[in-house]
């Protein structure tokens, strides 16, 4: 077995960062993500301590599995620490990554344009975009060892990939082995996710590092979750309130737009219900507000990369539909318009849907909406993704049913009177069955599986399940 060290996503689901050692003095990093909420690395790195705290002397290259902030957010700090090696990712991720890093720098580091440009120029000089299903040689300095990388679609967000490293070393040759494969799953998507092709298992691997965000449960099916989304919105509309949907700017926002377009298409000219003021509302009359300049940029890139969409989405395009840009959608760009929109929604009785970041309510424009609207029982907050421990999103889910329940933003307490609902089926992560099927469908099963990126219960549940199914497999929770 090759040695693997974990620098993040071992005490929760954020801060993904893993190091694969090809030999004693040559290694490759897989992701370098931001910690969120109360989660930290074993060495103490966390949301407020972002500097790279592990030794980089052996690191030859970095693989970015996808561009979510919990997988790439510490990349500027990696560059600042002196990493000059190649950064590999899929071709769609190469289009999205500079947008993510630019936003991360502006929010968490500096708004100095020259510093941001210098970082992005450095990133561009090291970035290598790969096609899916093509082997690429990763250069290693001063060694007889060799390593190749192949990416496969992971179905999590556009451009997401799982990577297989194929190592050939003198030690392996001495054991009579031609090569050794190590698969890093990154984040695997659920089958039938909007827009994306479902992940397909490879033929084989010797070692597997797999995520376990939902290792202890399964998701609702596509029809059920879409029905729940529609019913939640119809309930909010009957109250004449606003539906707030915290969503990450990339992936979840585009999936929600896709699903909302379909609901509206299926219910053209149909009345939802009457609001308490007696006004009849039709689906095609509901305002859908995307309040995230970053999400708008990502949506434009998604549209430009539609040749990566799945067959269903391509069919809708050919039918003349526009799944990501339809009439009801209004985009808020400026901060001034953002504040005006909040004030308008707090005073009006016309229902609306607002999609804004961040997905865990730990920052971004969604926080301002929650401060203004969470105390009004006419409004609804609809969670469609995982809420990490220590984030305001987790607190809202935990305390909304408590007497005098509240959430804290910027040191102030805000009462939770709005209706709170969670639809787990819209998670972009694979459920338990999807994770086990990913292994089941490999013709040659891994000898060792390491479970990361999950709460303790999720990891232990998945570990027990895999040990029962595959007693010959060594299953490790780092």
């Amino acid at each position: 077995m090759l040695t693997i060290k974990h620098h993040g996503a071992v005490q929760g689901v954020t801060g993904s960062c893993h190091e694969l050692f090809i030999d004693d003095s040559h290694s490759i990093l897989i992701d370098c993500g931001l910690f969120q909420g109360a989660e930290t690395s074993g060495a103490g790195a966390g949301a407020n301590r972002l500097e790279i705290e592990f030794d980089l002397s052996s690191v030859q290259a970095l693989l970015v599995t996808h561009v979510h902030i919990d997988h790439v957010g510490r990349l500027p700090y990696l560059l600042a620490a002196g990493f000059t090696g190649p950064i590999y990712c899929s071709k769609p991720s190469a289009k999205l990554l500079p947008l993510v890093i630019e936003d991360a720098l502006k929010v968490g580091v500096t708004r100095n344009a020259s510093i941001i440009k210098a970082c992005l120029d450095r990133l561009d000089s090291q970035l290598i975009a790969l096609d899916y299903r093509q082997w690429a040689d990763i250069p290693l300095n001063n060694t007889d060892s060799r390593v190749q990388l192949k990416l496969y679609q992971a179905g999590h967000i556009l451009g997401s990939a799982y990577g297989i490293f194929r190592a050939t070393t003198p030690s392996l040759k001495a054991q009579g082995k031609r090569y050794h494969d190590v698969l890093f799953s990154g984040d695997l998507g659920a089958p039938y996710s909007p827009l994306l092709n479902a992940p397909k298992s490879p033929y084989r691997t010797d070692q597997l590092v797999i995520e376990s965000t939902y290792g202890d449960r399964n998701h609702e099916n596509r029809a059920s979750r879409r029905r729940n989304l529609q019913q939640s919105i119809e309930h909010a509309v009957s109250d004449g309130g606003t539906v707030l949907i915290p969503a990450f700017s990339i992936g979840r926002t585009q999936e929600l737009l896709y699903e909302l377009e379909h609901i509206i298409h299926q219910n053209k000219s149909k009345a939802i219900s009457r609001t308490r003021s007696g006004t009849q509302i039709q689906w095609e009359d509901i305002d859908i507000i995307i309040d995230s300049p970053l999400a708008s940029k990502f949506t434009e890139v998604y549209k430009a990369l539609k040749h990566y969409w799945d067959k269903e989405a391509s069919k809708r395009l050919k039918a003349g539909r526009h799944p990501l840009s339809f009439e009801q959608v209004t985009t808020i760009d400026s901060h001034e318009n953002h504040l005006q929109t909040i004030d308008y929604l707090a005073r009006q009785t016309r229902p609306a849907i607002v999609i804004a970041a961040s997905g865990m309510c730990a920052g971004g424009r969604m926080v301002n909406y929650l401060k203004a609207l969470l105390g009004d029982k006419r409004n609804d907050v609809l969670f469609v993704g995982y809420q990490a421990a220590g984030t305001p999103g987790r607190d809202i889910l935990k305390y909304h049913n408590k007497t005098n329940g509240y959430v804290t933003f910027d040191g102030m307490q805000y009462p939770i009177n709005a209706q709170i609902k969670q639809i787990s089926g819209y998670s972009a992560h694979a459920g338990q069955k999807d994770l086990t099927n990913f292994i089941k469908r490999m013709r040659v099963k891994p000898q060792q599986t390491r479970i990361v990126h999950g709460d303790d219960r999720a990891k232990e549940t998945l570990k027990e399940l895999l040990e029962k199914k595959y007693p010959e497999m060594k299953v490790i929770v780092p």
Side-chain angles (χ1 to χ4, degrees):
M1 297 292 126
L2 296 187
T3 300
I4 300 171
K5 289 184 179 180
H6 304 281
H7 304 298
V10 286
Q11 297 176 352
V13 301
T14 64
S16 286
C17 186
H18 315 282
E19 187 174 5
L20 172 66
F21 282 83
I22 307 303
D23 54 38
D24 290 341
S25 55
H26 297 83
S27 66
I28 297 166
L29 278 186
I30 295 85
D31 292 332
C32 195
L34 201 67
F35 293 94
Q36 294 174 292
E39 296 180 355
T40 63
S41 72
N48 297 313
R49 182 182 163 193
L50 303 178
E51 292 77 13
I52 302 301
E53 78 283 13
F54 52 88
D55 182 21
L56 293 175
S57 60
S58 64
V59 178
Q60 307 289 299
L62 168 70
L63 166 63
V64 169
T65 62
H66 66 285
V67 302
H68 272 154
I69 200 71
D70 61 322
H71 288 255
V72 300
R74 295 176 78 194
L75 214 162
Y77 295 88
L78 184 69
L79 298 179
F83 174 70
T84 58
I87 300 170
Y88 296 94
C89 67
S90 72
K91 286 188 173 179
S93 287
K95 299 287 187 182
L96 295 162
L97 184 59
L99 299 176
V100 175
I101 297 303
E102 181 180 4
D103 184 69
L105 289 169
K106 287 179 178 177
V107 172
V109 181
T110 180
R111 299 194 74 85
N112 184 297
S114 61
I115 294 176
I116 292 172
K117 184 178 183 302
C119 183
L120 293 177
D121 287 346
R122 171 93 173 272
L123 174 65
D124 182 66
S125 70
Q126 294 174 232
L127 200 60
I128 298 176
L130 301 179
D131 286 313
Y132 289 114
R133 295 179 172 270
Q134 298 290 326
W135 285 111
D137 286 300
I138 296 179
L140 302 178
N141 297 319
N142 304 316
T143 180
D144 291 329
S145 297
R146 182 189 179 200
V147 65
Q148 295 174 290
L149 169 64
K150 185 187 285 189
L151 302 182
Y152 295 81
Q153 292 189 57
H156 178 63
I157 62 171
L158 190 67
S160 61
Y162 69 83
I164 296 179
F165 293 94
R166 176 161 290 181
T168 305
T169 69
S171 175
L172 287 169
K173 288 180 180 178
Q175 299 172 45
K177 297 179 180 179
R178 288 194 303 143
Y179 56 78
H180 184 90
D181 287 351
V182 186
L183 189 160
F184 287 83
S185 74
D187 287 351
L188 293 173
Y192 312 114
S193 293
L195 295 166
L196 304 174
N197 292 302
K200 294 182 178 179
S201 304
Y203 181 82
R204 70 176 310 278
T205 191
D206 297 294
Q207 281 177 272
L208 169 65
V209 179
I210 192 167
E211 66 126 320
S212 60
T213 310
Y214 289 95
D216 58 344
R217 66 199 115 152
N218 288 305
H219 297 313
E220 302 164 274
N221 62 42
R222 178 91 176 269
S224 174
R225 68 190 188 187
R226 184 188 290 147
R227 184 168 58 250
N228 279 339
L229 176 63
Q230 181 172 338
Q231 289 173 350
S232 296
I233 292 169
E234 288 173 347
H235 171 266
V237 167
S238 68
D239 286 342
T242 298
V243 184
L244 300 177
I245 308 180
F248 292 111
S249 298
I250 179 168
R252 200 68 44 79
T253 294
Q254 291 75 30
E255 289 181 18
L256 287 166
L257 284 173
Y258 185 88
E259 292 288 70
L260 288 169
E261 188 274 342
H262 183 71
I263 292 171
I264 293 168
H265 181 79
Q266 294 291 96
N267 293 278
K268 277 184 177 178
S269 303
K270 289 184 182 178
I272 297 175
S273 65
R274 291 185 182 275
T275 65
R276 289 179 180 177
S277 63
T279 305
Q280 193 175 62
I281 295 292
Q282 294 181 333
W283 264 101
E284 53 193 0
D285 294 329
I286 295 179
D287 292 324
I288 300 171
I289 299 166
I290 307 299
D291 194 345
S292 169
L294 189 59
S296 300
K297 292 178 182 177
F298 286 142
T299 300
E300 291 304 312
V301 176
Y302 259 65
K303 289 191 288 186
L305 295 172
K306 55 182 175 285
H307 52 283
Y308 287 98
W309 293 9
D310 67 5
K311 292 180 181 177
E312 178 190 83
S314 299
K315 187 176 179 180
R316 292 186 188 181
L317 285 172
K318 289 178 181 177
R321 291 166 60 181
H322 302 281
L324 299 183
S325 54
F326 45 101
E327 288 183 6
Q328 285 89 340
V329 178
T330 299
T331 300
I332 306 298
D333 289 320
S334 74
H335 185 67
E336 181 182 1
N337 288 343
H338 162 69
L339 296 178
Q340 289 173 349
T341 301
I342 293 173
D343 181 63
Y344 167 73
L345 292 175
R347 290 184 288 105
Q348 59 88 43
T349 57
R350 176 184 172 86
I353 301 168
V354 176
I355 302 172
S358 76
M360 297 183 189
C361 308
R365 293 186 174 184
M366 178 50 69
V367 170
N368 291 332
Y369 282 99
L370 291 168
K371 287 178 179 179
L373 304 177
L374 195 57
D376 189 335
K377 63 183 181 182
R378 294 180 306 123
N379 301 321
D380 291 59
V381 181
L382 185 59
F383 289 102
V384 293
Y386 186 85
Q387 303 300 308
T391 62
R394 175 71 72 90
D395 288 344
I396 292 171
L397 282 173
K398 183 177 180 179
Y399 296 114
H400 77 276
N401 279 327
K402 308 289 185 183
T403 303
N404 299 320
Y406 66 86
V407 63
T408 301
F409 291 114
D410 301 323
M412 292 185 64
Q413 296 177 359
Y414 292 84
I416 306 171
N417 295 323
Q419 302 295 309
I420 310 298
K421 187 168 183 180
Q422 185 174 36
I423 303 177
S424 66
Y426 274 99
S427 172
H429 289 271
Q432 183 191 78
K433 185 177 180 180
D434 307 320
L435 294 170
T436 56
N437 280 343
F438 184 72
I439 298 174
K440 177 183 177 181
R441 290 168 182 157
M442 295 182 196
R443 294 292 296 274
V444 180
K445 305 292 189 290
Q447 301 161 46
Q448 181 193 90
T449 294
R450 303 174 74 89
I451 300 175
V452 297
H453 201 288
D455 286 340
D456 290 343
R457 177 182 168 183
K459 289 185 288 192
E460 289 300 331
T461 301
L462 185 60
K463 180 176 186 288
E464 291 173 8
L465 187 60
L466 292 179
E467 287 176 333
K468 186 179 294 185
K469 282 179 174 286
Y470 309 109
E472 72 284 359
M473 181 192 299
K474 185 174 184 180
V475 184
I476 299 169
V477 175

